[in-house]
Amino acid sequence: QKEVEQDPGPLSVPEGAIVSLNCTYSNSAFQYFMWYRQYSRKGPELLMYTYSSGNKEDGRFTAQVDKSSKYISLFIRDSQPSDSATYLCAFSSGNTGKLIFGQGTTLQVKP
Amino acid sequence: EAEVAQSPRYKITEKSQAVAFWCDPISGHATLYWYRQILGQGPELLVQFQDESVVDDSQLPKDRFSAERLKGVDSTLKIQPAELGDSAMYLCASSPRQGAVGNSPLHFGNGTRLTVT
């Protein structure tokens, strides 16, 4: 069993749609839960992070963590063409730089 | 905004040749990371430096890969000899100190895309 499972997509939605991206994990030691966004031919950039179960909101983005089910989600409201990118979930068992990434979900938002 | 600089952006090499990548982290960042991202997968940590010292190289294939950060600033990752399976994006990242979030998130460069033929 992989430590992290992420549906690779691709996912294609119309502009304005609500997008749901998900990851499951198996390592109970994971304490930090992150979402990175990676545009084509660019490095990943940190979008959101949390270290507790529940929801965290930042503008159009909401990160959700359910530790009991070992499941995290990223919701994007009112999606825009500029949101078209690959979204990577990432985990850390301590606040170190050793991150375990999912394989990424490629999202396309069509105007 | 300060960025992590990497060069070259693209590199094509034949198998069994040597290849090297260079990274210049954000000024003042003590921690430097090299990640490898195979096409269609997430990045995987190869090596982590704290200043000039290696703190984690457990995933680095040491028979062919080497990494150094001699003065605790810029860093070089070398592969010798290159194999077909080494084709990937090599990403460098830096952070002010060891950490992943909060006031010490990782800042990634735009990577070096390596193709081994």
Side-chain angles (χ1 to χ4, degrees):
Chain A
Q1 183 186 11
K2 287 185 178 179
E3 264 190 307
V4 177
E5 299 272 6
Q6 181 176 8
D7 187 341
L11 190 59
S12 182
V13 300
E15 183 175 353
I18 296 173
V19 176
S20 172
L21 305 168
N22 311 294
C23 287
T24 58
Y25 65 95
S26 59
N27 190 341
S28 299
F30 287 154
Q31 298 177 345
Y32 294 87
F33 309 91
M34 292 152 275
W35 286 96
Y36 279 77
R37 178 175 60 195
Q38 185 173 25
Y39 290 114
S40 181
R41 291 184 288 278
K42 299 286 189 180
E45 56 177 336
L46 181 63
L47 201 56
M48 296 186 70
Y49 74 91
T50 186
Y51 44 81
S52 57
S53 282
N55 294 349
K56 181 176 181 179
E57 194 172 313
D58 183 2
R60 297 184 294 108
F61 298 89
T62 299
Q64 186 176 80
V65 173
D66 183 342
K67 287 186 178 181
S68 62
S69 300
K70 295 188 176 66
Y71 188 88
I72 71 170
S73 299
L74 178 71
F75 299 96
I76 307 174
R77 290 183 301 281
D78 187 26
S79 56
Q80 302 295 308
S82 58
D83 295 329
S84 297
T86 295
Y87 290 81
L88 298 150
C89 56
F91 302 82
S92 176
S93 57
N95 193 10
T96 72
K98 183 169 186 176
L99 306 182
I100 308 300
F101 284 89
Q103 68 182 104
T105 299
T106 300
L107 170 67
Q108 183 182 30
V109 181
K110 295 182 175 180
Chain B
E1 183 176 308
E3 294 183 347
V4 175
Q6 289 190 249
S7 67
R9 283 299 313 272
Y10 303 93
K11 180 71 178 178
I12 300 174
T13 191
E14 293 182 349
K15 64 179 181 179
S16 79
Q17 296 299 303
V19 64
F21 316 125
W22 177 79
C23 171
D24 190 11
I26 293 172
S27 178
H29 280 194
T31 312
L32 185 146
Y33 315 81
W34 284 100
Y35 278 80
R36 176 171 62 184
Q37 185 174 23
I38 295 170
L39 188 64
Q41 298 184 22
E44 292 182 293
L45 180 68
L46 291 175
V47 61
Q48 177 181 344
F49 290 91
Q50 182 66 26
D51 299 310
E52 67 275 6
S53 300
V54 173
V55 296
D56 188 345
D57 63 357
S58 57
Q59 299 294 101
L60 188 70
K62 299 181 189 61
D63 56 335
R64 298 184 301 108
F65 286 65
S66 64
E68 60 183 14
R69 193 184 183 199
L70 292 176
K71 296 182 180 179
V73 181
D74 59 341
S75 175
T76 303
L77 178 69
K78 297 178 181 177
I79 308 175
Q80 182 173 19
E83 296 180 353
L84 295 176
D86 296 331
S87 294
M89 174 83 85
Y90 290 83
L91 293 161
C92 180
S94 70
S95 59
R97 63 198 65 81
Q98 284 198 69
V101 295
N103 60 357
S104 190
L106 269 66
H107 297 262
F108 282 87
N110 288 327
T112 295
R113 167 75 66 191
L114 173 67
T115 302
V116 182
T117 61

